[in-house]
């Protein structure tokens, strides 16, 4: 526990002293450390401690949020008073149900952090391995970051949850150059409460693959432009499903009638081949948690089942407004932010076609092996994605690599159009941004074929 | 909590005892407010009070950094220890250092008491006025997703063991909105409007609401066009986002690491003669103006590119000593949680002489760009970008048809060379500013 029960009970009662229907306190203590290697040197070793509390008050459809670094009993009371002042009513005495404690059955080992000497050694080896790919590798950046977050969440309904999430990431960024041409390669690895994936073999493998990609792109041709079939390989990760479909299924966007999927529950919104799932309970994934940031237990949620829209992703506020239960998707970047509906680990479930067969049955098109970043307008469903590694398909076979390609289209239309779904499943990690808050997520998909997308490049 | 000045002083002493050869302490207190309305009512109110300490030390030829928002003596001592430990693991090829004390202009501490003193009620009304202006602007505006007023007030205390001691307060405020237009014929489009300023009186809610409404309505019926080369008209909001891509490449850090497309090109003509790019942390009224940068170097104006010729790069104290020059006062800090990096303050394309309307009228076949999607995916090292765009087709100097789902691909350097005209309407969007630019012949991929 970060602070004592009594102090929390007082703050919750104070928050509701001038009215409101629900009060919540989110306490957080986070230790971070990051070690960065660039230009062959360990350049940055940073560490820190951030702690604070966020108090939320719901009154009708309004939501009031106050946060502070001061987690002393008087600091919490002051924040609670600031919250209730927004309602400008007379103060009354409030009695709340006693807090009942919950938490994950299996407590995670707290200091799940790799020793600094080990990290330094790992980064140094990764640097050497990447540079061994060739003289064209001009710059290698490797950054390791760990965040050890303890949270204590309590609300006026009597719930109190304590949890800890230890997240680790490693990114490798390569710059390759030959003559005037400069290209980059990128790989990342991330997990929650599980450091087992950070083996030396895995890190060195990523160092080589990112360096090889940057090197290969130096001789890639400019991407073709225009409409064509696009095969997204499983190893490309699920950015597409996250952007083109996931955001439109978040209950706040739906509830404000800003989503193309609003009012479509029970209807066909995608091809029969499409099943989309959000699951924060997958062990060790970057978007994994046991409880969300409102204290709701994590659960698997089937969003689209064989093309039929089943449900949206809810937090408490939007579940309350719609008269349903939270799906455990109420997340926040930190105590500085009010929780909102967010994805966790989101994936398109594997289908029945062998990935090779999907490529073989495509006469001409673009094979995307690695996705870069993307963005979607959830109201129109229009999206763009960057292709980090792509190949032109000719007569059912991937041929030469291309660079500078971007895909654009409309999410809902693409989901209806997908005509082949592979048996594989590839994950990618990321930090998803929404309303100025970044949260760790992962996404995945099998190899799929989209009969027609606009591919953009330089004429 | 003890007085901040006392905490800073005792932290310097703690670091000295822990074996740091030199120390820099950065303390901030940050109070913010955001009020979001929807359908004529308060949707959310967000208020914060955040403070913390960043500790940077020099030990054995390296920097170490740690931060804490727990300001108890024990937590600060632990952070100091972590910073000193961190320095032992890292290594640099140039002797690190901190700036010496220097006179700075206190008038650059832009603090409008009106922002803090104005009652909450009036700020709520400002947000409501944005929403009303958007709804009133056109009957096809069916929804205002959100209308927001926000403000940031911060106090900074910066000291180092050379005796540097800087103290100032800053604030700014602004509003934005996001609206939906529906033509009842099956097409739905969105638009946004925003404005930020260092004085509350400069925020015009009506203009914010109208701008958003106008954009959304003008896009109704938008469709892709055929793949072709077009002249592009980039209004301030869009051109300013290209500066975001350029800013990284114009830092000495990127240059020294071989990660800038401008490395080794000093004094070369790399852009069209109409392009002048300036960074100015001392620009009155701009959002990022302050007496000093995050290392205590007095703010200044730096011309980076003048009439197409590359003049210089942005430096902090370390990159400057590495390059044998002086800091340009661009040691910027995101918060107490991070060490100073090299970055822009208020960066802008200098305005030209002609009016935006005149510039548009001169275009035979082009695209007036409303919005970019995926700007964060642009590659600051190669300068390549490939972005989703929406906008209005220009034919014979007039807007003819709204466009969506097309991609603009190119290279930032090529684009700079193809800037044909620069309008006079310089406008800032937070830290980046630009007038409307006309760029010749870029590839638009569509059908």
């Amino acid at each position: 526990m970060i602070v004592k029960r009594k102090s929390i009970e007082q703050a919750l009662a104070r928050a509701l002293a001038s009215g409101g229907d629900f009060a919540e306190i989110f306490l957080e203590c986070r230790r971070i450390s990051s070690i960065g290697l660039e230009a062959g040197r360990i350049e940055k070793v940073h560490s820190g401690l951030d702690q604070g509390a966020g108090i939320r008050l719901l009154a009708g459809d309004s939501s009031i949020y106050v946060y502070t670094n001061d987690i002393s009993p008087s600091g919490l009371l002051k924040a609670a008073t600031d919250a209730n002042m927004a309602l400008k009513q007379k103060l009354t005495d409030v009695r709340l149900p006693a807090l009942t404690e919950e938490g994950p059955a299996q407590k995670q080992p707290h200091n799940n952090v790799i020793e600094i000497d080990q990290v330094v050694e790992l980064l140094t080896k990764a640097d050497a391995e990447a540079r061994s790919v060739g003289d064209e590798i001009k710059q290698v950046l490797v950054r390791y970051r760990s965040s050890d977050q303890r949270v204590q969440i309590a609300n006026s309904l009597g719930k109190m949850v304590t949890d800890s999430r230890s997240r680790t990431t490693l990114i490798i960024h390569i710059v390759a150059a030959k003559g005037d041409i400069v290209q980059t390669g990128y790989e990342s690895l991330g997990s929650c409460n599980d450091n087992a994936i950070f083996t030396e073999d895995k890190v060195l493998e990523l160092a080589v693959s990112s360096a090889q990609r940057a090197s290969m792109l130096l001789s890639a041709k400019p991407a073709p432009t225009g409409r064509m079939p696009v095969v997204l390989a499983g190893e490309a990760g699920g950015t597409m499903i996250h952007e083109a479909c996931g955001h439109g299924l978040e209950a706040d966007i739906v509830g404000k009638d800003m989503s193309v999927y609003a009012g479509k529950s029970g209807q066909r919104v995608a091809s029969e081949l499409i099943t989309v799932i959000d699951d924060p309970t997958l062990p060790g994934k970057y978007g994994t948690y046991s409880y969300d940031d409102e204290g709701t237990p994590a659960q698997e949620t089937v969003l689209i089942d064989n093309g039929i829209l089943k449900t949206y992703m809810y937090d408490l506020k939007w579940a309350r407004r719609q008269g349903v239960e939270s799906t455990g998707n109420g997340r926040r970047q930190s105590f500085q932010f009010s929780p909102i509906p967010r994805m966790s680990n989101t994936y398109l479930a594997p289908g029945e076609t062998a990935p090779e067969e999907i490529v073989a049955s495509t006469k001409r098109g673009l094979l995307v092996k690695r996705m870069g970043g993307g963005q979607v307008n959830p109201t129109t469903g229009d999206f763009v994605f960057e292709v980090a590694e792509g190949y032109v398909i000719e007569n059912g076979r991937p041929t030469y690599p291309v660079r500078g390609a971007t895909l654009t289209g409309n999410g809902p239309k693409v989901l209806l159009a997908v005509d082949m779904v592979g048996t594989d499943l590839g994950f990618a990690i990321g930090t998803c941004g929404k309303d100025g808050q970044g949260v760790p997520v992962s996404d995945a998909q099998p190899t799929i074929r989209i009969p027609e997308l606009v591919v953009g490049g330089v004429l | 909590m003890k007085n901040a000045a006392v905490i800073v002083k005792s932290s310097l002493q703690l670091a000295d005892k822990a074996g740091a050869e030199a120390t820099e302490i950065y303390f901030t207190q940050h109070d913010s407010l955001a009020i979001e309305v929807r359908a004529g009512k308060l949707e959310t109110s967000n208020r914060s009070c955040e403070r913390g300490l960043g500790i940077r030390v020099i030990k054995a030829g390296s920097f170490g950094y740690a931060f804490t928002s727990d300001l108890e003596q024990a937590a600060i001592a632990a952070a100091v220890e972590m910073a000193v430990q961190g320095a032992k693991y890292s290594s640099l090829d140039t002797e690190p250092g901190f700036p010496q004390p220097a006179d700075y202009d206190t008038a650059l501490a832009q603090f409008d008491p009106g922002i803090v003193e104005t009652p909450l009620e009036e700020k709520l009304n400002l947000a409501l006025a944005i929403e009303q202006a958007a709804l009133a602007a056109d009957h096809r505006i069916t929804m205002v997703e959100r209308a927001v007023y926000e403000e940031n007030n911060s106090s900074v205390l910066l000291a180092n063991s050379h005796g540097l001691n800087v103290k100032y307060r800053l604030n700014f405020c602004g509003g934005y909105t996001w609206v939906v237009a529906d033509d009842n014929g099956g097409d739905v489009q969105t638009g946004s409007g925003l404005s930020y300023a260092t004085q509350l009186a400069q925020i015009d809610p009506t203009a914010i609401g109208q701008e958003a409404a106008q954009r959304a309505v003008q896009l109704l019926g938008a469709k892709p066009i055929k793949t072709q080369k077009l002249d592009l008209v980039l209004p301030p909001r869009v051109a300013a986002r290209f500066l975001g891509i350029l800013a990284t490449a114009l830092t000495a850090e990127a240059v020294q690491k071989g990660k800038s497309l401008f490395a080794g090109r000093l004094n070369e003509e790399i852009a069209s003669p109409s392009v002048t790019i300036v960074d100015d942390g001392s620009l009155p009224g701009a959002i990022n103006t302050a007496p000093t940068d995050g290392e205590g170097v007095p703010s200044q104006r730096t011309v980076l590119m003048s009439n197409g010729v590359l003049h210089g790069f942005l430096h902090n104290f370390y990159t400057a000593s590495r390059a044998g020059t002086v800091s340009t006062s661009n040691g910027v800090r995101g918060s107490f949680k991070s060490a100073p990096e090299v970055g822009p303050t208020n960066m802008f394309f200098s305005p030209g002489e002609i009016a935006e309307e005149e510039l548009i009228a001169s275009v035979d076949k082009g695209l007036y760009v409303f919005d970019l999607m995926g700007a964060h995916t642009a590659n600051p090292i190669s300068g390549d970008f490939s972005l989703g765009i929406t906008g209005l087709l220009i034919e014979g100097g007039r807007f003819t048809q709204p466009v969506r789902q097309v991609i603009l691909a190119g290279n930032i350097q090529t684009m700079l060379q193809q800037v044909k005209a620069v309008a006079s309407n310089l406008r800032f969007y937070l830290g980046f500013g630009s007038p409307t630019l006309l760029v010749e012949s870029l590839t638009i991929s569509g059908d």
Side-chain angles (χ1 to χ4, degrees):
Chain A
M1 281 217 291
I2 299 170
V3 304
K4 290 200 177 106
R5 173 193 298 262
K6 189 166 169 226
S7 167
I8 289 179
E9 285 172 343
Q10 282 173 347
L12 288 173
R14 174 69 64 86
L16 285 167
S18 68
D21 319 310
F22 173 85
E24 172 198 72
I25 180 163
F26 177 87
L27 287 139
E28 176 184 11
C29 177
R30 188 195 297 252
R31 286 176 193 283
I32 66 110
S33 64
S34 83
I35 303 172
L37 176 146
E38 195 169 10
R41 293 192 181 81
I42 297 291
E43 274 203 331
K44 284 173 186 157
V45 181
H46 289 186
S47 50
L49 163 70
D50 198 12
Q51 65 176 29
I55 292 179
R56 181 165 62 141
L57 177 60
L58 298 181
D61 281 347
S62 297
S63 151
I64 292 142
Y65 197 75
V66 175
Y67 72 83
T68 176
N69 292 123
D70 187 354
I71 58 169
S72 67
S74 63
L76 294 182
L77 276 180
K78 181 179 177 300
T81 308
D82 281 348
N84 76 34
M85 271 167 47
L87 292 182
K88 288 180 298 195
Q89 310 275 337
K90 240 176 74 185
L91 296 190
T92 50
D93 251 347
V94 180
R95 290 188 80 89
L96 295 174
L99 295 172
T100 315
E101 250 182 277
E102 277 180 70
Q106 268 188 315
K107 290 279 178 209
Q108 299 295 341
H110 195 56
N111 253 330
N112 204 358
V113 180
I114 307 173
E115 286 298 317
I116 184 163
D117 301 85
Q118 269 177 283
V119 176
V120 167
E121 194 188 323
L122 193 62
L123 302 194
T124 310
K125 282 186 181 166
D127 177 58
E129 193 80 358
R131 286 178 191 275
S132 74
V133 165
D135 289 342
E136 67 277 20
I137 306 300
K138 302 298 179 199
Q139 196 56 272
V140 179
L141 180 148
V142 197
R143 189 169 292 149
Y144 169 90
R145 189 182 150 91
S146 73
S147 149
D148 208 10
Q149 182 199 33
R150 284 191 298 135
V151 298
Q152 183 178 6
I153 307 155
N155 66 36
S156 55
L157 305 174
K159 180 189 270 284
M160 182 157 81
V161 168
T162 52
D163 196 5
S164 64
R165 299 98 175 230
S166 167
R167 288 199 169 84
T168 312
T169 52
L170 184 124
I171 60 153
I172 302 174
H173 193 266
I174 306 285
V175 181
K178 199 187 267 172
D180 273 353
I181 305 168
V182 179
Q183 290 295 324
T184 58
Y186 175 83
E187 290 281 2
S188 61
L189 195 60
S191 70
C192 183
N193 294 337
D194 178 14
N195 270 334
I197 60 168
F198 287 83
T199 61
E200 185 175 314
D201 285 354
K202 182 70 192 171
V203 171
L204 297 187
E205 178 194 319
L206 294 181
V208 170
S209 62
S210 51
Q212 281 175 343
R213 183 169 316 115
S215 170
M216 180 270 290
L217 286 172
L218 290 174
S219 52
K221 294 185 189 171
T225 65
R227 281 190 193 271
M228 64 190 75
V230 172
V231 177
L232 299 179
E235 63 198 278
T239 319
M240 161 88 183
I241 217 64
H242 176 101
E243 297 287 351
C245 155
H247 280 296
L249 295 171
E250 291 167 340
D252 53 341
I253 297 175
V254 173
K256 291 177 174 181
D257 205 18
M258 293 289 290
S259 166
V260 277
Y261 294 114
K264 297 255 172 83
S265 190
Q267 296 181 24
R268 170 161 304 284
V269 295
S271 135
E272 271 178 18
L273 302 169
I274 303 282
T275 291
V276 180
I277 296 167
D278 181 80
D279 190 357
T281 70
L282 297 175
K285 295 293 178 198
Y286 194 47
T288 295
Y289 46 86
S290 329
Y291 285 84
D292 73 2
D293 294 320
E294 299 178 311
T296 306
Q299 66 174 57
E300 179 197 37
T301 305
V302 178
L303 302 166
I304 296 175
D305 190 8
N306 295 317
I308 307 295
L309 177 57
K310 289 294 177 189
T311 185
Y312 305 113
M313 286 170 276
Y314 289 95
D315 64 354
L316 287 177
K317 176 175 150 179
W318 287 94
R320 236 169 57 112
R321 281 198 187 182
Q322 310 294 337
V324 297
E325 295 286 309
S326 165
T327 53
N329 289 90
R331 305 183 68 192
R332 50 185 129 201
Q333 177 176 313
S334 67
F335 69 88
Q336 284 100 336
F337 296 91
S338 194
I340 48 175
R342 301 302 291 261
M343 284 173 261
S344 61
N345 307 303
T346 313
Y347 65 98
L348 203 163
E352 287 172 0
T353 313
E356 312 78 61
E357 204 184 311
I358 297 178
V359 176
S361 62
T362 306
K363 197 154 165 27
R364 191 181 156 78
L366 184 71
L367 170 65
V368 178
K369 277 214 160 181
R370 193 58 60 119
M371 294 278 241
Q375 197 182 338
V376 66
N377 178 333
T379 310
T380 61
D382 288 354
F383 64 76
V384 291
F385 296 106
E386 183 193 19
V387 176
E389 183 180 350
Y391 299 83
V392 165
I393 302 174
E394 278 170 359
N395 296 317
R397 288 168 55 181
T399 58
Y400 57 91
V402 293
R403 65 172 178 238
T406 299
L407 309 177
T408 188
N410 183 271
K413 285 187 185 150
V414 163
L415 287 193
L416 283 164
V418 167
D419 63 353
M420 294 180 110
V421 176
T423 50
D424 53 336
L425 186 66
F427 277 87
I429 66 157
T431 297
C432 166
K434 175 178 166 189
D435 289 1
Q437 302 195 41
V439 296
V441 295
S442 75
D443 38 52
Q445 65 165 60
T447 298
I448 59 170
R449 185 171 75 175
I450 302 157
E452 201 181 71
L453 267 187
V454 171
V455 178
V458 183
L459 272 187
Chain B
M1 188 186 91
K2 273 185 282 186
N3 175 305
V6 175
I7 292 176
V8 168
K9 199 172 164 205
S10 73
S11 306
L12 280 172
Q13 287 163 350
L14 276 173
D16 188 46
K17 263 189 240 158
E21 290 150 21
T23 308
E24 170 190 87
I25 305 287
Y26 178 77
F27 171 91
T28 55
Q29 165 138 353
H30 194 79
D31 297 304
S32 71
L33 172 71
I35 296 171
E36 177 185 331
V37 300
R38 185 177 152 77
K41 284 193 307 190
L42 173 71
E43 174 85 14
T44 61
S45 145
N46 239 305
R47 185 183 271 287
S48 74
C49 167
E50 193 176 16
R51 66 217 173 357
L53 203 63
I55 300 155
R56 191 160 62 137
V57 301
I58 294 171
K59 170 102 186 163
S62 280
F63 287 119
Y65 194 82
F67 67 86
T68 176
S69 61
D70 181 349
L71 299 180
E72 295 299 322
Q73 184 86 356
I76 296 174
V80 164
E81 191 54 41
M82 286 194 288
V84 173
Q85 285 301 321
K88 288 183 188 159
Y89 283 97
S90 50
S91 69
L92 300 172
D93 67 353
T94 302
E95 195 62 34
F98 297 128
Q100 294 292 331
D103 288 337
Y104 56 87
D105 184 356
T106 49
L108 296 177
Q110 302 176 131
F111 191 85
D112 174 18
I115 293 177
V116 190
E117 288 158 13
T118 300
L120 207 63
E121 200 75 42
E122 280 180 42
K123 293 166 181 170
L124 178 69
N125 288 339
L126 195 150
L128 290 169
I130 296 175
E131 186 183 44
Q132 281 151 11
L135 289 169
D138 194 291
H139 69 280
R140 288 166 290 180
I141 298 300
T142 51
M143 197 193 315
V144 177
E145 196 258 352
R146 69 181 68 186
V148 177
Y149 164 83
E150 58 184 359
E151 67 182 49
N152 282 283
N153 304 286
S154 51
S155 311
V156 173
L157 240 80
L158 175 65
N160 70 29
S161 49
H162 300 324
L164 182 135
N165 205 329
V166 173
K167 187 178 170 183
Y168 54 86
R169 281 203 303 171
L170 302 168
N171 64 6
F172 70 90
C173 63
Y176 68 91
T177 189
W178 184 259
V179 308
V180 179
D182 192 334
D183 63 2
N184 242 332
D187 197 27
V188 173
Q189 292 294 337
T190 58
S192 63
L194 72 158
S195 171
Y196 288 86
T198 52
Q199 293 195 327
L200 185 56
Q202 288 170 0
I203 303 298
D204 178 358
T206 311
I208 298 171
Q210 284 176 347
E211 182 185 10
Q214 204 179 20
R215 271 159 194 273
V217 168
Q218 284 185 309
L219 272 182
L220 283 170
K223 48 186 191 230
I225 49 174
K226 286 216 176 325
T227 299
Q228 57 192 295
K229 288 208 167 192
L230 284 176
D231 289 352
L232 291 198
V233 178
L234 310 176
R237 228 167 111 174
V238 173
R241 290 181 64 190
F242 279 100
L243 275 181
I245 306 169
L246 273 171
T248 315
L250 287 168
T251 66
E253 169 138 19
V255 172
Q256 291 172 1
K257 287 180 174 155
K259 286 163 74 168
S260 166
L261 65 155
F262 300 129
R265 316 242 357 229
L266 221 52
N267 299 320
E268 282 180 36
E269 191 172 318
I270 54 170
S272 127
S274 26
V275 175
T276 292
I277 300 176
V278 176
D279 181 83
D280 191 351
S282 62
L283 186 68
I287 297 292
N288 290 327
T289 293
T292 73
D293 71 353
E295 296 182 294
V297 175
S299 295
Q300 69 173 60
R301 175 186 167 93
T302 308
V303 177
L304 297 161
M305 216 178 273
S306 172
N307 301 320
V309 177
L310 182 64
H311 272 291
F313 298 108
L314 302 174
H315 280 283
N316 67 7
F317 193 80
Y318 179 71
T319 61
S321 55
R322 232 184 138 201
T325 176
V326 291
S327 168
T328 54
S329 186
N330 289 92
V332 300
R333 315 178 80 123
S335 79
F336 65 88
K337 290 175 214 166
S338 52
E341 303 286 341
V342 190
T345 60
N346 305 298
M347 187 185 264
F348 57 97
F349 284 111
S350 289
E353 314 254 297
I354 66 166
E356 189 195 51
E357 301 76 50
E358 211 179 315
L359 186 146
I360 294 166
S362 75
V363 176
D364 181 43
K365 207 156 169 30
L367 190 68
Y368 184 92
V369 182
F370 270 2
D371 204 5
L372 307 174
M373 279 176 91
H376 61 289
T377 65
N379 188 331
I381 301 170
S382 64
D384 291 338
F385 59 80
S386 190
L387 311 161
I389 57 173
T390 56
L392 299 175
L393 196 65
I394 306 172
E395 288 167 299
R398 311 174 73 112
F399 296 140
T400 53
Q401 172 205 326
V403 176
R404 71 191 271 208
Q405 277 183 31
V406 294
I407 289 170
L408 162 65
N411 182 281
I412 193 93
Q413 197 185 330
T414 322
M415 196 178 119
L416 286 175
Q417 285 161 354
Q418 289 166 208
V419 174
K420 193 182 163 192
V422 177
S424 54
N425 56 336
L426 171 63
R427 196 177 153 187
F428 275 88
Y429 290 89
L430 293 166
F432 293 109
S434 180
T436 299
L437 307 180
L438 170 61
V439 188
E440 280 183 304
S441 186
L442 288 170
T443 303
I444 302 292
S445 307
D447 278 328

